[in-house]
Amino acid sequence: MSEAPLVPGTVAEHAICLLIKLGQVAFRIAEDDLGEFGLRVRHYSVLQALADNGAMSQLALGAFLRIDPATMVTSLDDLEKVGYAMRTRDPQDRRRYVVDITEDGRKVLVRLNSTLVGLDDELLADLKALDRKSLHRIMSKLASGPTVPGMFDALRESTDTKKKA
Amino acid sequence: MSEAPLVPGTVAEHAICLLIKLGQVAFRIAEDDLGEFGLRVRHYSVLQALADNGAMSQLALGAFLRIDPATMVTSLDDLEKVGYAMRTRDPQDRRRYVVDITEDGRKVLVRLNSTLVGLDDELLADLKALDRKSLHRIMSKLASGPTVPGMFDALRESTDTKKKA
């Protein structure tokens, strides 16, 4: 089966169909490899955001990563349980709590990042260096928006409204 | 929130993380729009494969689209229920059954394809024509393999083995 295309026939004419299928494969591969650390992709995102930004409130973290509050709570519980993140007093306002990455969290983050670099190399092995750069640049542009983030936010809002209705 | 990037900070350095997140947004948007026809992305793939290839056995269809047998059965049941596909005698071997697209299926497929063309235009609105072409070409290359389809097949096999174990 390995020779058969991942997105066969006319379906591959649609960029959106290619993106969906490649994204699904990327997700399964990443979940599989990060699973060896007992973590999922979303745990990596949380740790990386905390390393990038410093301590954040749970609300700010959820907004930054577009992760809904319920998923954020369980993700933080998971990370606290293994000692990679902790809820702590906000240094700017001692009455509030913020989330921060721990020393162990920083250590595992280094290993997660090298796993992801390795996965990029594996996943993109069929591309020449120039195409690989172009792909990264074009996807970064799409992710920077405004269109795609806006579409996603609109969809999340409409789902929230449906849930509440 | 629409101004905030979809994949923030250092996470966006990994092509695999961009692919995962853009793929998730593409999937949710496509499911939302195809939902107006009472269909999901996988139903579109099945109808398109039948239109591309003519009647196929359920097994061949599943292998072609890399859809597991259980999901394939429910997808075909859904499509039969709304009259877009039907199980019929194999003209090459009257003792066997094959799946085929119906006239109504062909009609809805035209509308699904124009919906997907419209979604490509919406989703990729932030890209110049040249980048849009490059993105399509590079993603087609990745989907054609051998690496990504091979990785996906290996992962599916290992999941099957775990399930059976």
Side-chain angles (χ1 to χ4, degrees), chain A residues 30 33-41 43-45 47-48 79 84 101 105-119, chain B residues 14 17:
Chain A
D33 271 29
L34 299 190
E36 290 171 24
F37 298 91
L39 298 174
R40 303 191 56 184
V41 174
H43 297 123
Y44 159 72
S45 305
L47 291 177
Q48 189 63 62
L79 289 170
Y84 295 154
I101 186 169
R106 283 183 204 280
K107 277 181 206 156
V108 80
L109 186 58
V110 173
R111 298 174 64 206
L112 297 176
N113 269 301
S114 46
T115 298
L116 289 166
V117 169
L119 277 177
Chain B
H14 304 293
C17 293

Side-chain angles (χ1 to χ4, degrees), chain A residues 117-153:
Chain A
V117 169
L119 277 177
D120 266 14
D121 285 339
E122 270 188 73
L123 195 70
L124 307 180
D126 293 340
L127 300 183
K128 290 189 179 145
L130 195 66
D131 276 352
R132 201 175 144 162
K133 267 196 180 171
S134 300
L135 178 66
H136 193 271
R137 178 183 57 76
I138 297 169
M139 289 197 301
S140 298
K141 189 155 178 54
L142 280 177
S144 302
T147 300
V148 176
M151 285 173 93
F152 188 49
D153 287 339

Side-chain angles (χ1 to χ4, degrees), chain B residues 59-143:
Chain B
L59 201 69
L61 196 55
F64 184 73
L65 293 171
R66 288 180 169 78
I67 293 180
D68 67 85
T71 309
M72 185 52 80
V73 168
T74 59
S75 302
L76 291 177
D77 288 348
D78 297 339
L79 288 170
E80 269 203 328
K81 205 175 289 170
V82 289
Y84 296 154
M86 58 184 299
R87 273 118 169 158
T88 175
R89 298 270 177 193
D90 183 351
Q92 324 241 280
D93 177 353
R94 306 282 310 161
R95 291 160 304 178
R96 287 178 59 220
Y97 279 89
V98 287
V99 187
D100 209 353
I101 187 169
T102 63
E103 270 319 299
D104 277 354
R106 283 183 204 279
K107 275 180 206 157
V108 81
L109 186 57
V110 173
R111 298 174 64 205
L112 297 176
N113 269 302
S114 45
T115 298
L116 290 166
V117 168
L119 275 177
D120 266 14
D121 285 338
E122 270 188 73
L123 195 70
L124 308 180
D126 294 340
L127 300 183
K128 290 189 179 144
L130 195 66
D131 276 350
R132 201 175 143 160
K133 268 196 178 169
S134 300
L135 178 66
H136 193 272
R137 178 183 57 76
I138 297 168
M139 289 197 301
S140 298
K141 189 155 177 54
L142 280 176

